[in-house]
Amino acid sequence: MTTPDLHVFVDGPAVARAFADHLVKMLNEKKTGPFFWALSGGSTPKLLFKLLAEEYRNKVDWERIHFFWGDERCVPHDDPESNYGEVMRLLFDHVPVVHSQVHAVNTSLDPEAAAAAYGDLMTQLMPTTPEGWPILDLNMLGMGGDGHTASIFPSNMEELLTDPRVCAVAVHPDSGQKRVTMTGPVLNASDEVVFLITGNSKTQRVAQIINEEHGATKFPVAHIKPTSGKLRWFLDEAAASEVGY
Ligand code: 6PG
């Protein structure tokens, strides 16, 4: 695995603040034009969304950002499980985003149709690689305890890491919940991938992957290394406590 750029902070709030400042820096560096940002679900990003809403209203060029999701649960947007609904409540209701640039997965479609439509939308809106993969400026990802990211799980990673489609349907191995997920080639086409990982429940998995321990390649996160983009891990001390360097 290419050595990622590790950023370790004292705790979750510090990780959120560091990422928020990193977002501002990336927007400044890109100077003009649209900024394509994929969000992740789960609990870790909640601190970030709340912080952005409370303290970054006037620090971020909200009108430049196009929002996407690395994965979305196939539920209505007002369902508590909805990643889109979560961000709407915590962030979009509080800052001046351009709502036509908030690109939610159309979960009113059946999952396969929703995945195909989302992949087409991404390809229409974003610059693409020579192979046709849409290029996100920033792909913010989390990691589950099983080493999954987006909705690429150990149980389905063989297909999803090399899937020829931009988005595909994944099934959560425990709940059976259907999700739309960006596939491995899309994640690795990003200009920058940033993993936000906090808490001692992730310590062992983070160490296995970063230290390239035996068996690390069975975890999907170990395969997310942008082809030509940057790879950063934003960790708190708890998650990073057994990283070997
Ligand atoms: C989702 C996420 C998922 C998440 C990880 C980590 O829809 O659940 O996209 O990939 O990032 O499960 O979740 P936590 O931050 O809650 O540990």
Side-chain angles (χ1 to χ4, degrees):
M1 173 175 183
T2 49
T3 307
D5 185 2
L6 293 186
H7 304 252
V8 182
F9 305 93
V10 64
D11 57 17
V15 169
R17 185 171 300 280
F19 183 90
D21 291 339
H22 185 63
L23 172 66
V24 171
K25 178 170 175 282
M26 289 187 78
L27 282 161
N28 291 339
E29 286 172 353
K30 193 178 181 184
K31 293 192 180 15
T32 60
F35 187 87
F36 301 104
W37 177 17
L39 309 177
S40 63
S43 58
T44 304
K46 288 180 181 173
L47 279 175
L48 168 68
F49 298 144
K50 289 176 186 169
L51 175 69
L52 288 171
E54 289 160 5
E55 297 186 33
Y56 285 72
R57 179 187 177 86
N58 300 321
K59 297 179 182 176
V60 171
D61 295 344
W62 297 105
E63 71 282 354
R64 288 178 55 205
I65 304 177
H66 286 251
F67 297 91
F68 299 85
W69 279 264
D71 67 327
E72 179 58 282
R73 293 81 180 278
C74 294
V75 297
H77 288 160
D78 60 0
D79 187 299
E81 278 280 300
S82 168
N83 288 338
Y84 161 84
E86 184 76 31
V87 188
M88 185 58 82
R89 285 187 295 275
L90 294 177
L91 178 58
F92 295 158
D93 284 345
H94 309 283
V95 296
V97 299
V98 176
H99 286 281
S100 62
Q101 294 174 194
V102 175
H103 306 293
V105 174
N106 182 352
T107 57
S108 65
L109 299 172
D110 77 79
E112 289 295 345
Y118 206 57
D120 290 347
L121 176 68
M122 290 173 64
T123 306
Q124 286 157 18
L125 291 176
M126 291 184 226
T128 56
T129 67
E131 299 76 20
W133 300 112
I135 303 171
L136 286 152
D137 290 294
L138 175 56
N139 205 328
M140 181 179 92
L141 293 169
M143 182 189 75
D146 60 357
H148 85 260
T149 192
S151 284
I152 304 177
F153 296 95
S155 56
N156 61 22
M157 73 181 222
E158 293 308 318
E159 311 89 74
L160 291 177
L161 285 176
T162 56
D163 199 299
R165 295 165 295 179
V166 171
C167 293
V169 176
V171 177
H172 191 286
D174 300 328
S175 67
Q177 184 186 60
K178 286 194 175 181
R179 289 140 169 236
V180 170
T181 187
M182 290 181 190
T183 57
V186 174
L187 302 186
N188 285 329
S190 305
D191 267 350
E192 179 161 324
V193 167
V194 179
F195 281 102
L196 289 191
I197 306 174
T198 62
N200 53 28
S201 68
K202 310 287 175 72
T203 306
Q204 185 191 359
R205 199 68 71 230
V206 165
Q208 283 175 298
I209 294 167
I210 296 287
N211 300 337
E212 295 184 305
E213 294 174 10
H214 178 67
T217 55
K218 65 175 180 282
F219 305 120
V221 164
H223 299 269
I224 304 307
K225 39 191 177 183
T227 310
S228 55
K230 294 188 190 69
L231 173 59
R232 303 183 196 274
W233 289 46
F234 277 44
L235 306 169
D236 68 358
E237 288 175 356
S241 60
E242 292 182 18
V243 169
Y245 62 90

